[in-house]
Amino acid sequence: MKKNLITLFFLAVALTGGVPAVAQHSTPALNEKTVTFDVPQLPKDAGNFLIANDLGRNGYYEQKPVAELMGNLAEKVDIECVAALGDVHHFEGVASTSDPLWMTNYELIYSHPELMLPWYPILGNHEYNGNTQAVIDYSRVSRRWMMPSRYYAKTVEAEDDTQALLLFIDTAPLIDKYRKDSIDYPDACRQDREAQLAWIEEQLRTSKAKWKIVMGHHPVYAQTTKSEKERADMQKYLKPLLDRYGVDLYVCGHIHTFQHIVPAGSKTDYLVNTSGSLAREVSPIEGTRFCSGDEGFTLLSFNADEIHCYLYNEKGKIIYDFTHRR
């Protein structure tokens, strides 16, 4: 679906260092200041969506500028949806579908007209601090919040009819740390880990989509000060399925940094998407292709030939991009 784009005034700039040629656009921002941001030259037949996570800070830190940039980019690029990969609500989740945090963390922040499109959310560890069912039930309140269950599948199509399977999974119940802490994460131990893993395997096994993209909140690989046991459990329970069924891309949040990691011999690209509000410091590990402590979001574009990811910082600059092909 193509939007009616406003007239663009642009200067073509050829950038080096792994970043493709982009046009820099100046758009009146909500605060009436001029914002300059990069717009990549995407294939006309591509399907495009945004990835954002670790958002909910009641508009503080970089949340508002990042949200504004997401909307401004969506004015220039045909965006199909937003994948919201958990922790939309720091710090204790939400209490109900009428919790005021829905307004201060989400509705009033992501208010740009071009962000009034489908949002596909998953639960993060902070949502598990609160009422997780309320996060799912908010789908009945908001027309753009599309969360049918704790984990679900969505097949999206590019303009050239190429399909990509998006698996939105619930990672906290896969990790023993959360399952064993019934005080801080009361819902995690109630979830059937084996049932979800069986569902993931069935979706990957039966999908005819060219591209298989799995999205969760917690990383399989990442540099972080968080407990190594989290990644060990993800590698134990999820990674064998990613390997067995040739998953092209695993995308997550949780760490508040950008990281692109390809372990030796892996056919899967692992992307840690940074925080949309407050980021942290990061350093490379084995397999790291890129890492950054900038806040921001990711634009993912795909067609029959490739998946291409563009990593945006809070200033609207594409600080890194990479291509996955088969």
Side-chain angles (χ1 to χ4, degrees):
M1 77 182 163
K2 286 291 181 184
K3 303 181 179 75
N4 293 322
L5 301 180
I6 64 174
T7 304
L8 304 180
F9 292 92
F10 64 92
L11 173 64
V13 179
L15 300 179
T16 59
V19 179
V22 297
Q24 291 191 335
H25 293 267
S26 295
T27 299
L30 297 181
N31 59 9
E32 297 184 352
K33 293 181 180 179
T34 299
V35 176
T36 302
F37 57 98
D38 294 341
V39 180
Q41 297 176 358
L42 303 176
K44 293 182 179 180
D45 59 359
N48 314 301
F49 61 92
L50 300 179
I51 303 169
N53 47 264
D54 298 276
L55 307 174
R57 301 255 178 187
N58 293 293
Y60 286 91
Y61 301 98
E62 299 301 317
Q63 190 181 10
K64 286 182 179 179
V66 170
E68 188 171 297
L69 283 165
M70 289 170 60
N72 289 339
L73 180 63
E75 287 183 341
K76 311 294 185 258
V77 175
D78 185 14
I79 299 298
E80 299 293 333
C81 61
V82 178
L85 304 188
D87 286 0
V88 173
H89 298 287
H90 287 81
F91 291 88
E92 303 297 327
V94 291
S96 68
T97 58
S98 59
D99 193 315
L101 289 176
W102 285 108
M103 299 302 293
T104 58
N105 278 338
Y106 179 59
E107 298 289 0
L108 296 178
I109 308 300
Y110 304 94
S111 57
H112 192 288
E114 295 297 336
L115 295 181
M116 300 300 152
L117 41 70
W119 284 59
Y120 296 109
I122 55 175
L123 299 168
N125 52 294
H126 285 292
E127 277 86 8
Y128 264 97
N129 286 137
N131 184 343
T132 55
Q133 188 60 46
V135 181
I136 300 169
D137 292 344
Y138 195 69
S139 301
R140 293 185 231 155
V141 177
S142 171
R143 290 182 61 181
R144 58 176 172 160
W145 190 264
M146 297 189 174
M147 187 177 186
S149 57
R150 294 173 187 272
Y151 49 89
Y152 56 97
K154 176 73 177 176
T155 299
V156 294
E157 287 190 358
E159 292 290 328
D160 64 359
D161 296 329
T162 299
Q163 293 186 332
L165 173 69
L166 308 183
L167 283 193
F168 296 90
I169 67 172
D170 186 16
T171 55
L174 301 182
I175 298 171
D176 288 337
K177 166 186 171 179
Y178 301 103
R179 299 184 66 85
K180 293 177 179 179
D181 189 347
S182 60
I183 302 299
D184 291 332
Y185 307 98
D187 285 348
C189 62
R190 300 177 186 142
Q191 309 311 312
D192 189 331
R193 177 164 56 195
E194 296 307 316
Q196 181 181 183
L197 291 171
W199 176 87
I200 293 171
E201 180 164 22
E202 181 66 8
Q203 295 296 316
L204 294 175
R205 185 182 67 81
T206 60
S207 175
K208 303 300 182 183
K210 171 159 188 180
W211 306 112
K212 295 181 176 66
I213 303 172
V214 178
M215 299 189 178
H217 182 66
H218 292 84
V220 177
Y221 294 99
Q223 187 278 324
T224 175
T225 58
K226 294 180 182 290
S227 170
E228 180 63 31
K229 189 63 169 62
E230 293 184 15
R231 269 101 56 219
D233 283 350
M234 291 291 288
Q235 291 169 23
K236 176 181 179 180
Y237 294 111
L238 182 64
K239 183 180 179 295
L241 298 178
L242 306 182
D243 293 341
R244 186 178 309 155
Y245 295 100
V247 168
D248 297 286
L249 185 64
Y250 178 75
V251 190
C252 68
H254 189 49
I255 308 302
H256 295 224
T257 60
F258 280 124
Q259 298 183 55
H260 176 210
I261 299 172
V262 184
S266 175
K267 295 182 179 179
T268 301
D269 281 90
Y270 291 88
L271 172 62
V272 180
N273 187 58
T274 193
S275 169
S277 55
L278 180 64
R280 302 185 176 112
E281 295 182 357
V282 65
S283 57
I285 60 172
E286 184 177 353
T288 298
R289 302 281 178 89
F290 175 81
C291 61
S292 169
D294 286 359
E295 294 86 3
F297 61 93
T298 294
L299 166 64
L300 187 149
S301 180
F302 72 95
N303 62 9
D305 298 322
E306 64 186 32
I307 298 172
H308 205 113
C309 294
Y310 303 87
L311 280 54
Y312 276 82
N313 70 4
E314 76 284 358
K315 296 179 181 178
K317 303 302 180 184
I318 298 173
I319 56 174
Y320 177 72
D321 71 284
F322 69 91
T323 301
H324 175 92
R325 295 187 181 95
R326 277 204 253 126

